[in-house]
Amino acid sequence: MMNANYNCLLMDLDGTLLDFGSAEREAIAATLTKSGLPHDEDTVTLYAKINAEMWDKLERGEIKKDKLVLQRFVQLLEELGAEGDPVKLNNEYMKDLSAAAMPFPGAAELLEELAEFATLAAITNGISKVQMNRLEKSGLLPYFDEVFVSEKLGVTKPSPKFFDAALRKLGVKNKEKVLVIGDSLAADIKGGNNAKLDTCWYNLAGAENTTDIVPTHEARSYMEIKQIAVGEEALEIAANREKRHTV
């Protein structure tokens, strides 16, 4: 591998490489339809809001994941004034979500280029089977040296234990050459900060950071991620080498 700014990249999945919003809407609409519940846009949006609030609570340590996956459907049914079995709804949703994997445009190309310079590891809070199925279906799995899912590690981002466990598994001891990349300030950036790692906030929408969580870097495109992770000089050397090979 060529010399780069960072030689180990811990990369978030949903919201960074995978379009979770689209996957979630597709999966919950399918689940609600099969369950005979309202599946219009308002209901899909309501579920997304409830689910996001639940995961925020998980990241703050206010709820356990086994309770979260059921409580979101308990709350949805209550707000709809409908009857239903939260356990069955969650099981059906997990199956539907496992089949919904939509990488953002350019995600595969980004990983292919970064893999020339660094060890790549996926870091994600979620259900292990679901996330692995989605990652495989997306076509992105082969680019990663390791995949770390909170359920399997037994700890969630932003706990520093999540990142410490990942680095131990990767055999990485020099934290100065590790970069955490993700779209969530609360999970990815705070987690990286907690673990004393450099961080890159992938802020595609250009949102204002109203928190006290400070990333080392901020990127608004995949190109900027490459420039931060690899460095202009290494990218130029690689481009020139590729050019010589194709002439």
Side-chain angles (χ1 to χ4, degrees):
M1 291 182 182
M2 287 171 280
N3 188 40
N5 291 342
Y6 298 94
N7 57 28
C8 178
L9 306 179
L10 305 181
M11 305 190 69
D12 172 57
L13 292 180
D14 288 314
T16 302
L17 297 170
L18 298 179
D19 184 352
F20 180 75
S22 295
E24 179 185 54
R25 287 191 295 273
E26 179 182 291
I28 192 61
T31 299
L32 294 171
T33 300
K34 287 182 285 187
S35 303
L37 292 166
H39 52 274
D40 56 278
E41 187 61 32
D42 286 345
T43 305
V44 169
T45 300
L46 173 62
Y47 169 80
K49 177 176 177 292
I50 292 170
N51 192 47
E53 290 171 352
M54 291 291 173
W55 282 98
D56 286 345
K57 286 183 178 181
L58 180 80
E59 290 167 2
R60 294 194 299 266
E62 297 173 5
I63 192 172
K64 298 293 185 181
K65 184 169 57 57
D66 57 348
K67 185 176 180 181
L68 178 160
V69 296
L70 297 181
Q71 187 60 36
R72 57 188 175 183
F73 286 106
V74 170
Q75 187 172 334
L76 178 65
L77 289 168
E78 286 178 354
E79 297 205 23
L80 291 175
E83 296 290 330
D85 184 341
V87 174
K88 289 183 179 179
L89 282 170
N90 182 65
N91 290 342
E92 194 63 44
Y93 176 67
M94 289 293 96
K95 288 190 290 184
D96 291 330
L97 185 61
S98 292
M102 305 159 192
F104 285 119
E109 291 80 3
L110 171 69
L111 294 177
E112 184 175 12
E113 292 188 62
L114 291 177
E116 295 183 31
F117 301 92
T119 296
L120 303 184
I123 54 170
T124 178
N125 282 343
I127 315 299
S128 186
K129 184 177 180 180
V130 171
Q131 293 299 75
M132 291 303 296
N133 285 346
R134 294 179 63 232
L135 193 51
E136 185 173 7
K137 185 177 175 64
S138 73
L140 302 183
L141 183 59
Y143 296 109
F144 290 106
D145 297 281
E146 292 284 353
V147 178
F148 300 103
V149 187
S150 60
E151 182 183 54
K152 195 166 184 180
L153 286 184
V155 63
T156 61
K157 299 181 290 183
S159 170
K161 293 179 181 179
F162 180 104
F163 299 88
D164 291 343
L167 294 182
R168 280 197 303 272
K169 175 72 173 176
L170 291 167
V172 174
K173 296 181 180 179
N174 182 10
K175 286 188 171 185
E176 292 182 2
K177 298 290 279 185
V178 178
L179 181 66
V180 178
I181 303 169
D183 69 302
S184 172
L185 286 167
D188 305 310
I189 306 309
K190 184 176 181 179
N193 290 350
N194 288 343
K196 296 180 170 36
L197 301 170
D198 280 5
T199 57
C200 177
W201 180 31
Y202 182 47
N203 183 17
L204 180 61
E208 181 183 359
N209 183 358
T210 59
T211 76
D212 60 357
I213 303 167
V214 181
T216 313
H217 309 281
E218 180 177 339
R220 298 193 179 184
S221 68
Y222 284 163
M223 176 56 73
E224 289 185 4
I225 287 179
K226 282 193 296 183
Q227 292 169 342
I228 291 166
V230 178
E232 296 281 3
E233 184 178 351
L235 285 172
E236 187 175 345
I237 291 172
N240 288 336
R241 186 186 65 178
E242 182 67 25
K243 189 181 297 183
R244 287 197 302 271
H245 289 170
T246 56
V247 170

